[in-house]
Amino acid sequence: MKITVPTESPMASKAFTFGVATASFQIEGAADTRLPCIWDTFCATKGKIRDGSDGKQACEHVKLWKQDIDLIESLGVDAYRLSISWPRVIHQDGSLNQQGVDFYIQLLDELNQRGIKPFVTLYHWDLPQHIEDNGGWLNRETAYLFADYAGKISQALGDRVYSYATFNEPFCSAYLGYEVGIHAPGKASVKDGRQAAHHILLAHGLAMKVLQTNSPNSKNGIVLNFTPCYAATESEADIHATKLADEYMNQWYIKPLFDGCYPDSFASLGDNTPTIEAGDFDIIKQPLDFLGINFYTRAVYTACDDMQYQQIDMPDKPKTDIGWEIYPQAFTDLLTSLNELYPLPEVYITENGAAMADKLENGQVNDQDRIDYYQQHLNAVDAAINQGVNVVGYFAWSLMDNFEWAEGYLKRFGIVYVNYETQERTIKNSGLAYRNLLNARR
């Protein structure tokens, strides 16, 4: 029941930041004290959530936040990554909802008092529904509303925040939400997906300017998710197809941040080309204090006629309970390749973890499979550090089992087990192993 890192690794030092992560909609509950968001609407749409559930109750974190901070502290972490619920802190008229703001202020004050650094994400997918009703991320005005929200909340929170991320995983909001429709708001067109992506990146740039003014002493950046792309064979066609897939799924969201443009395949969008105004890339390309990277799995591609590339399943490979292949080498490959392509700032691994088929038996969850996953992936991060990638922190996803988006409550990612009926939390063996790793640092 151990997770270890090499004794000479920077990760074995207390200078390296270890944390746990959550997101507002997935844990907070208390839906009656905030505005409705796109995920409320999506959950209420028949057939969208696998178990027919919603986030109205979730882990009741708004009610149980004090005991949850006790739990976080007991794990010995340096930092806690949370997200602010936009519909909890801003009224429909754009003014601050003081009740919602006060909830986060007390949370942040408690974290700081206990020496736990708050890493705050401003957008983890829960767009206020009234903004979606006006076009959501298809409406350019939403980028400016986001910057306004970022300005008001960063001013209200003052110097309590150690780090701000503007967005969590723009890929998921744009591609899953607007292009293929399996996440909220459930729209499904290539043009919509690309336009949403552009407006989210524009919103990021606008908000970065605001954060650097309002909160110059915090580390300000963005969190991107990556699914490294591998060719099914060494054939020229498969290698070319995989390059196209990588540009579309991964590079699309990072290249504008550093290079001020979209990948080459942008030229082939035709009628699906998003509307881009003069100066947009100058806004998007703001200096970053850090880049957050989320990693879970890889994807394997083959060439095909109509779509140019097609992802294929790897039936004989080990997989997590959500069906994602366990391939830790892809984590090292991802970090080193991004480091070669772009002038990366400090890197935090802001999410990494696994859904496993956990069972609570005799007051314990023996999730050895998750312990193995963490062991392999921390080794993969260490290998990237040894190859020159400036990784300075790592956050386990997630602190506790929670509402897993389109999967509802069927998949458990937590290092803490949640009984949703009683709201009792039980630290899994992976959580104990993680705690022991952190406590053993020099």
Side-chain angles (χ1 to χ4, degrees):
M1 204 169 79
K2 276 183 90 169
I3 301 171
T4 60
V5 294
T7 51
E8 70 283 359
S9 169
M11 301 168 88
S13 158
K14 286 190 175 167
F16 189 90
T17 298
F18 274 103
V20 286
T22 63
S24 51
F25 189 83
Q26 293 182 271
I27 67 166
E28 283 184 355
D32 57 339
T33 57
R34 60 164 172 78
L35 293 176
C37 76
I38 56 174
W39 274 93
D40 295 310
T41 306
F42 197 67
C43 290
T45 308
K46 198 170 180 205
K48 294 298 185 185
I49 310 299
R50 269 188 67 197
D51 61 359
S53 65
D54 56 48
K56 288 177 184 171
Q57 181 181 2
C59 304
E60 292 191 359
H61 174 66
V62 167
K63 182 174 153 191
L64 302 174
W65 67 273
K66 271 194 174 161
Q67 77 173 60
D68 286 341
I69 293 182
D70 288 341
L71 187 65
I72 293 165
E73 185 179 36
S74 79
L75 294 168
V77 298
D78 309 304
Y80 172 48
R81 179 176 175 239
L82 66 141
S83 76
I84 305 273
S85 167
W86 185 351
R88 189 175 296 287
V89 295
I90 303 285
H91 289 301
Q92 188 159 344
D93 66 2
S95 63
L96 281 173
N97 176 342
Q98 199 57 48
Q99 181 189 356
V101 173
D102 288 345
F103 166 69
Y104 292 109
I105 284 177
Q106 65 185 0
L107 189 69
L108 294 168
D109 282 346
E110 191 68 29
L111 289 167
N112 283 314
Q113 199 177 325
R114 300 194 195 199
I116 300 167
K117 296 170 185 166
F119 279 64
V120 167
T121 303
L122 291 174
Y123 187 83
H124 202 126
W125 309 357
D126 43 359
L127 185 72
Q129 181 60 42
H130 69 92
I131 297 177
E132 177 60 33
D133 293 341
N134 286 328
W137 291 113
L138 302 180
N139 184 348
R140 186 180 173 90
E141 180 58 27
T142 301
Y144 293 87
L145 289 176
F146 178 76
D148 180 69
Y149 149 58
K152 284 174 176 153
I153 193 66
S154 58
Q155 210 157 23
L157 299 182
D159 60 0
R160 295 175 175 88
V161 176
Y162 182 81
S163 166
Y164 278 108
T166 52
F167 284 86
N168 178 76
E169 302 185 345
F171 164 87
C172 293
S173 294
Y175 183 77
L176 300 181
Y178 286 85
E179 189 156 333
V180 294
I182 58 175
H183 276 192
K187 292 189 164 38
S189 90
V190 173
K191 187 171 179 62
D192 285 355
R194 295 300 107 179
Q195 191 65 66
H198 183 69
H199 286 156
I200 289 169
L201 290 171
L202 178 67
H204 154 74
L206 292 167
M208 280 296 291
K209 287 184 167 185
V210 173
L211 290 173
Q212 299 295 28
T213 301
N214 283 3
S215 190
N217 296 324
S218 56
K219 289 178 188 278
N220 302 320
I222 189 171
V223 170
L224 304 179
N225 63 302
F226 295 91
T227 303
C229 301
Y230 290 77
T233 72
E234 292 296 308
S235 76
E236 201 174 309
D238 280 358
I239 289 169
H240 177 66
T242 303
K243 181 179 183 293
L244 290 176
D246 181 52
E247 286 190 0
Y248 201 76
M249 303 296 180
N250 294 315
Q251 308 307 325
W252 200 277
Y253 303 90
I254 185 169
K255 191 173 176 67
L257 303 179
F258 293 103
D259 295 348
C261 62
Y262 287 115
D264 294 344
S265 49
F266 177 85
S268 63
L269 281 175
D271 293 345
N272 296 317
T273 303
T275 301
I276 298 169
E277 294 190 7
D280 279 4
F281 286 116
D282 293 331
I283 295 169
I284 293 168
K285 195 183 168 185
Q286 295 301 309
L288 299 171
D289 297 328
F290 79 96
L291 175 66
I293 292 178
N294 294 354
F295 171 85
Y296 292 97
T297 188
R298 71 164 178 169
V300 179
Y301 289 92
T302 187
C304 66
D305 295 335
D306 49 348
M307 292 170 61
Q308 299 181 299
Y309 53 83
Q310 183 176 354
Q311 187 177 348
I312 60 170
D313 186 39
M314 305 298 284
D316 303 327
K317 302 292 185 185
K319 293 190 172 74
T320 65
D321 191 43
I322 208 166
W324 298 345
E325 183 190 354
I326 300 171
Y327 193 79
Q329 180 60 43
F331 204 178
T332 308
D333 294 345
L334 166 69
L335 293 168
T336 53
S337 66
L338 290 177
N339 201 43
E340 286 167 15
L341 283 170
Y342 305 107
L344 298 183
E346 285 185 341
V347 171
Y348 285 89
I349 306 306
T350 32
E351 287 181 29
N352 179 229
M356 297 298 182
D358 299 319
K359 288 186 173 58
L360 179 64
E361 294 172 333
N362 303 319
Q364 284 190 317
V365 179
N366 182 19
D367 55 341
Q368 185 60 46
D369 42 11
R370 184 177 287 107
I371 292 173
D372 293 342
Y373 182 98
Y374 277 119
Q375 180 64 68
Q376 294 165 358
H377 286 77
L378 285 167
N379 285 345
V381 174
D382 183 61
I385 292 171
N386 289 335
Q387 292 175 60
V389 187
N390 187 23
V391 181
V392 296
Y394 176 98
F395 290 79
W397 183 270
S398 83
L399 166 65
M400 65 179 90
D401 298 332
N402 54 45
F403 177 80
E404 188 43 47
W405 307 111
E407 300 286 335
Y409 296 97
L410 297 175
K411 302 301 176 187
R412 294 179 177 269
F413 274 89
I415 59 173
V416 173
Y417 186 92
V418 177
N419 178 325
Y420 296 113
E421 287 180 17
T422 65
Q423 290 299 334
E424 187 179 354
R425 277 80 155 133
T426 304
I427 301 177
K428 302 175 189 178
N429 284 359
S430 59
L432 298 174
Y434 193 61
R435 180 196 69 190
N436 293 342
L437 166 71
L438 273 50
N439 288 343
R441 290 174 297 164
R442 59 184 184 271

